């Protein structure tokens, strides 16, 4: 289907700048973090730097890198995923940030810990244990790993803070904490994977404690004006029906401690941004995050793409996605339901997507094709 939105309206609304903490973003387009697994040894190379720089040169307001593992021994273990620790790895990331800045862009790394989803035996520490809040898998079953001790919790928090400090030191414009999709921080937020009986489990406020402590440690490790974002979701990669909050009140209880700890913007990951999050309101998840915290919010979920195919389908099942008009998205932006719009598959498909949208060339947009996954185009 062709996009029927008026090109002038798209260009005008998406071109408006926004300031988050000490960073002014020249427009409302964010590149969504997307795992590419193109960094052998965890080191992002020149191809990674060029990949991001092309999007910056074409007008993306803010680039969120793919998830990159913090320096805790149990954080990662997926071959080709970049690391955010180690001399060579950080030198590679500095080259990425420099290339994006030279192209006129702004960039934040997404800091990541897999938690219970880490495959056993993965590099760079194959003997590291698989850990999670309660040692439970995303299906709630025992035996997926071991429950984290207080020392584990302290060490993971420190690894996030060290990564954030490194990001500022080597020239990034902020950081995003990955707290979505069933990974470690999300495992603490979700009742199925968090059955702890200490201060990190039980009540909604207790389930948010770990995430809040991660954010607070990052906030202490970086400059006051350095933006800290947090990505969260209701759904998990293997469970579309999962929910960390059943009502707006529950969401407020979970997110308020994170906002108070120092989150500047919430990146609310959904399958389809146009779907209301709770009964009785048309607000999506990003809209509710902004409403209950007063912080900036980023929406994401099939932006510009048809609603019949989710990102999991396209990334792992080889399905394409048709185009979708942007009128509803623009209406929501104008109503200040959220502040920025993260775009994923469309930017994989076409490095010039932002330039085409911002200059009203909507007729040049093409549907997503899974061939875009094969290379860093």
């Amino acid at each position: 289907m062709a996009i029927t939105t008026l090109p002038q309206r798209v260009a005008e609304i998406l071109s408006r700048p926004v300031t988050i903490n000490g960073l002014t973003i020249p427009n409302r387009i964010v590149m969504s973090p997307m795992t590419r697994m193109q960094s052998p040894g965890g080191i992002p190379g020149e191809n990674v730097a060029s990949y991001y720089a092309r999007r910056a040169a074409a007008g993306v307001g803010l680039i969120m890198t793919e998830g990159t593992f913090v320096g805790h021994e149990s954080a990662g273990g997926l071959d080709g995923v970049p690391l955010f620790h180690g001399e060579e790895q950080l030198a590679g990331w500095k080259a990425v940030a420099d290339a994006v800045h030279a192209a006129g862009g702004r960039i934040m790394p997404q800091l990541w810990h897999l938690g219970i989803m880490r495959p056993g035996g993965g590099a760079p520490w194959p003997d590291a244990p698989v850990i999670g809040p309660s040692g439970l898998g995303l299906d709630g079953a025992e035996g997926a790993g071991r429950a984290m001790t207080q020392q584990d919790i302290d060490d993971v928090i420190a690894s996030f803070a060290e990564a954030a400090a490194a990001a500022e030191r080597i020239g990034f414009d902020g950081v995003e904490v990955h707290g979505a999709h069933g990974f470690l921080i999300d495992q603490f937020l979700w009742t199925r994977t968090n059955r702890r009986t200490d201060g990190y489990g039980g009540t909604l406020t207790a389930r948010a404690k770990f995430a809040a402590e991660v954010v607070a440690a990052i906030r202490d490790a970086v400059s006051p004006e350095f933006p800290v974002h947090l990505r969260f979701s209701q759904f998990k990669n293997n469970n579309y029906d999962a929910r960390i909050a059943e009502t707006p009140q529950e969401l407020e209880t979970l997110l308020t401690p994170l906002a108070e700890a120092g989150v500047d913007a919430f990146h609310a990951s959904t399958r389809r941004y146009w779907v209301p999050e709770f009964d009785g309101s048309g607000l999506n998840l990003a809209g509710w995050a902004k409403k209950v915290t007063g912080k900036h919010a980023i929406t994401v979920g099939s932006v510009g793409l048809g609603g019949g195919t989710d990102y999991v389908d396209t990334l792992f099942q080889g399905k394409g996605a048709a185009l979708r008009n942007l009128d509803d998205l623009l209406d929501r932006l104008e109503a200040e339901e959220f502040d920025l719009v993260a775009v994923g598959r469309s930017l994989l498909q076409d490095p010039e997507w932002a330039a085409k949208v911002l200059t009203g060339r909507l007729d040049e947009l093409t549907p997503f094709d899974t061939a875009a996954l094969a290379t860093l185009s």
Side-chain angles (χ1 to χ4, degrees):
M1 125 180 186
I3 290 185
T4 57
T5 308
L6 288 175
Q8 298 90 336
R9 184 172 186 242
V10 178
E12 193 277 323
I13 294 174
L14 291 181
S15 293
R16 298 171 184 170
V18 61
T19 298
I20 299 179
N21 199 342
L23 179 66
T24 297
I25 302 165
N27 60 56
R28 302 305 175 101
I29 300 173
V30 177
M31 182 175 181
S32 182
M34 292 171 285
T35 298
R36 304 310 312 277
M37 306 184 79
Q38 298 287 326
S39 298
I43 304 168
E46 193 280 329
N47 60 331
V48 176
S50 297
Y51 163 76
Y52 288 119
R54 279 191 289 276
R55 275 81 184 164
V60 172
L62 174 63
I63 289 171
M64 298 294 188
T65 75
E66 61 210 281
T68 178
F69 294 135
V70 297
H72 183 265
E73 63 178 10
S74 295
L78 298 174
D79 186 43
V81 171
L83 308 178
F84 215 83
H85 60 91
E87 184 176 348
E88 288 184 276
Q89 289 80 5
L90 291 178
W93 278 119
K94 183 180 187 305
V96 172
D98 289 347
V100 167
H101 291 152
R106 291 143 185 83
I107 184 169
M108 298 182 180
Q110 187 188 68
L111 306 180
W112 194 16
H113 193 301
L114 295 179
I116 211 72
M117 292 181 69
R118 176 183 182 266
W125 293 294
D127 296 328
V130 176
I131 59 175
S134 301
L136 304 175
L138 293 192
D139 58 359
E142 297 182 359
R146 70 165 172 81
M148 293 171 69
T149 65
Q150 185 62 54
Q151 187 63 58
D152 291 329
I153 288 172
D154 294 343
D155 290 346
V156 170
I157 290 170
S159 71
F160 273 96
E162 290 163 5
E168 184 173 27
R169 185 175 66 249
I170 63 178
F172 280 84
D173 299 297
V175 293
E176 177 169 280
V177 177
H178 197 339
H181 303 159
F183 299 113
L184 181 63
I185 290 173
D186 193 25
Q187 290 159 25
F188 274 87
L189 297 174
W190 193 28
T191 55
R192 179 175 292 183
T193 45
N194 184 350
R195 304 291 176 83
R196 298 179 72 96
T197 57
D198 60 4
Y200 293 96
T203 67
L204 289 162
T205 301
R207 296 207 312 268
K209 182 181 179 183
F210 176 70
E213 289 184 350
V214 168
V215 172
I218 289 173
R219 191 76 274 162
D220 287 344
V222 299
S223 302
E225 67 277 4
F226 192 69
V228 177
H229 295 190
L230 184 133
R231 196 179 212 208
F232 77 102
S233 68
Q234 298 265 39
F235 79 94
K236 319 305 170 199
N237 283 340
N238 70 337
N239 188 335
Y240 285 150
D241 297 323
R243 299 177 75 79
I244 60 173
E246 296 290 346
T247 66
Q249 293 74 27
E250 288 189 356
L251 186 68
E252 182 174 7
T253 301
L254 283 171
L255 297 188
T256 296
L258 310 185
E260 292 174 345
V263 171
D264 295 300
F266 287 97
H267 187 174
S269 180
T270 58
R271 297 166 66 197
R272 301 164 188 158
Y273 76 83
W274 57 88
V275 176
E277 191 56 40
F278 300 112
D279 292 340
S281 168
L283 291 180
N284 71 6
L285 187 60
W288 276 111
K290 182 175 181 178
K291 182 178 177 67
V292 301
T293 67
K295 298 292 186 177
H296 288 93
I298 305 168
T299 197
V300 68
S302 301
V303 172
L305 301 177
T309 307
D310 295 302
Y311 85 98
V312 171
D313 298 324
T314 56
L315 295 184
F316 301 112
Q317 298 181 22
K319 299 178 182 178
L323 295 173
R324 172 186 171 87
N325 74 56
L326 302 175
D327 290 313
D328 179 52
L329 182 74
L330 301 177
D331 291 343
R332 291 166 180 259
L333 269 173
E334 285 204 295
E336 299 184 344
E337 180 177 337
F338 41 74
D339 304 287
L340 294 121
V341 177
V343 180
R345 287 168 287 172
S346 293
L347 277 168
L348 282 186
Q349 177 68 30
D350 185 358
E352 297 290 320
W353 187 90
K356 292 174 181 178
V357 167
L358 293 171
T359 57
R361 293 147 49 205
L362 302 186
D363 58 336
E364 297 181 23
L365 298 178
T366 57
F368 174 78
D369 188 288
T370 53
L373 299 173
T375 63
L376 294 177
S377 61

